[in-house]
Amino acid sequence: MTQDERWLARYNEVKGFIEREHRNPSKHRIEEHDILNWLKASRKKMNAGELKEERLVKFRELLALVAENKRKNQYA
């Protein structure tokens, strides 16, 4: 599996999680730490200008989805 395939697989995992759960990954749930850490690391790379152009487009779409679900209570 290439690095691009791994990135895309993780991207799809995070996107699927947010669409399925209607919330962002929680820092309080250990089982969600992997996807939360990927999200934070990718955001840091984007801010540093290190994200490839095709990844940047997809990641911005993901950030829009994250913004829609910001501060949503999982029990609501």
Side-chain angles (χ1 to χ4, degrees):
M1 187 179 269
T2 67
Q3 194 174 8
D4 286 333
E5 289 170 336
R6 279 197 309 271
W7 189 91
L8 194 59
R10 184 64 78 171
Y11 167 85
N12 289 328
E13 182 182 351
V14 173
K15 187 174 181 188
F17 174 86
I18 294 171
E19 289 172 344
R20 183 176 62 250
E21 302 291 330
H22 304 290
R23 64 181 176 82
N24 293 325
S26 170
K27 65 182 179 182
H28 302 291
R29 293 185 174 201
I30 292 168
E31 63 271 13
E32 297 172 14
H33 279 195
D34 285 347
I35 56 178
L36 181 64
N37 287 341
W38 179 87
L39 203 53
K40 291 189 321 188
S42 293
R43 188 178 287 132
K44 279 184 179 180
K45 282 186 177 181
M46 179 188 76
N47 291 339
E50 298 171 2
L51 216 52
K52 292 180 184 175
E53 189 60 40
E54 62 272 8
R55 290 182 184 181
L56 188 60
V57 172
K58 285 188 146 315
F59 193 68
R60 284 202 172 122
E61 291 171 11
L62 188 62
L63 288 179
L65 189 61
V66 165
E68 283 175 27
N69 290 286
K70 194 169 186 136
R71 303 207 184 279
K72 286 212 178 163
N73 188 334
Q74 66 222 17
Y75 303 110

